[in-house]
Amino acid sequence: MKRSGTIIVLAVILASGCAHQKPRATAPPPAPKPAETVERGKTEKGLASWYGEPYHGRRTASGEIYDMHEMTAAHRTLEFGTVVKVTRRDTGSDVKVRVNDRGPFIKGRIIDLSFAAAKKIGLDIDGVAPVKVVVIGFDETPKKNATGKVRAAEHPAGEDCFWVQVGAFSSMDNARRAEQRLESAGETAVIIEGPGGLHRVRVGPFDREKNARKALHRVLPHWPAAALVPCG
């Protein structure tokens, strides 16, 4: 009987011990999605600049291919995909861009705009301007070209990509007049900053050399110095 009683006491102790065991650890909660970490309304003030060639067509820090004709920007710390509103504090003009790259790395500058974004607020002319940057949302999906045309940055390596360069002008006013004439003739023209302060006026880009040559033949009667140049 004494042995039987001992067994019962041990059984009770074991049962009591199991009842007080700590619950099994649960899996940690999933990490928040980037969209949930965006601090909407966050504001910065400083200088903005812009970048175009020779970065056009190269891979950005986010892994995307940089297209200077899309509304994007480089920022040192904001999550890739963050959408910000950039407002010039001297003129009040603004533009919305999506962060997909890192930079700028010059003291005092807080954001580097793409050429297209810079052009929208006149920064392509001034080069540097005081701005206010406000976080307004998140969009992790790169924007597609609304016109449906294939841009230089969208070409897989090894495929053709060409511009028709109409001319290089030391005067921005002359470059703009050339751009307007080309646009009036139905061409898609852009002004690209070049070395030495030159403003290169180009038509395109084209994803096939034959299409670029057709455009070259269209503009040659009015622009004898026009020439075919590769992208990049």
Side-chain angles (χ1 to χ4, degrees), residues 157-179:
E159 290 194 10
D160 292 342
C161 178
F162 294 92
W163 293 95
V164 173
Q165 181 159 311
V166 171
F169 305 85
S170 58
S171 166
M172 175 58 83
D173 289 338
N174 290 340
R176 283 179 173 169
R177 280 192 283 270
E179 180 188 31

Side-chain angles (χ1 to χ4, degrees), residues 21-61:
Q21 283 183 353
K22 293 181 179 180
R24 297 176 66 182
T26 57
K33 297 178 181 179
E36 298 170 353
T37 65
V38 171
E39 188 180 344
R40 288 174 174 79
K42 180 179 179 181
T43 302
E44 287 182 274
K45 291 181 180 179
L47 296 176
S49 50
W50 67 275
Y51 66 126
E53 293 191 359
Y55 303 97
H56 183 64
R58 295 183 181 179
R59 194 169 297 280
T60 65

Side-chain angles (χ1 to χ4, degrees), residues 52-222:
E53 293 191 359
Y55 303 97
H56 183 64
R58 295 183 181 179
R59 194 169 297 280
T60 65
S62 69
E64 294 178 20
I65 299 301
Y66 175 59
D67 186 340
M68 60 188 279
H69 304 295
E70 298 294 342
M71 295 296 179
T72 59
H75 191 278
R76 287 194 292 270
T77 59
L78 289 176
E79 188 86 39
F80 293 135
T82 300
V83 179
V84 298
K85 180 179 179 181
V86 182
T87 304
R88 285 190 59 157
R89 297 168 64 193
D90 53 350
T91 65
S93 55
D94 62 74
V95 63
K96 295 177 183 177
V97 293
R98 185 177 58 85
V99 175
N100 72 342
D101 203 0
R102 288 290 175 240
F105 301 106
I106 298 177
K107 186 177 180 181
R109 300 187 187 182
I110 60 173
I111 195 165
D112 252 347
L113 301 180
S114 66
F115 169 73
K119 188 174 182 180
K120 188 173 177 63
I121 61 174
L123 189 63
D124 60 317
I125 301 171
D126 300 327
V128 178
V131 298
K132 179 174 71 172
V133 177
V134 181
V135 175
I136 60 174
F138 184 86
D139 184 359
E140 62 183 351
T141 306
K143 294 292 185 294
K144 299 297 182 182
N145 181 9
T147 64
K149 294 182 179 178
V150 179
R151 297 186 184 274
E154 295 170 355
H155 287 262
E159 290 194 10
D160 292 342
C161 178
F162 294 92
W163 293 95
V164 173
Q165 181 159 311
V166 171
F169 305 85
S170 58
S171 166
M172 175 58 83
D173 289 338
N174 290 340
R176 283 179 173 169
R177 280 192 283 270
E179 180 188 31
Q180 290 170 0
R181 282 183 60 188
L182 289 162
E183 294 281 356
S184 298
E187 305 291 348
T188 301
V190 297
I191 300 175
I192 299 173
E193 294 294 327
L198 290 177
H199 311 286
R200 293 175 289 178
V201 179
R202 291 180 173 181
V203 172
F206 302 92
D207 61 345
R208 295 290 182 271
E209 183 176 354
K210 65 177 183 179
N211 294 337
R213 291 196 177 279
K214 287 180 180 179
L216 176 63
H217 292 152
R218 288 197 302 268
V219 303
L220 272 174
H222 304 286

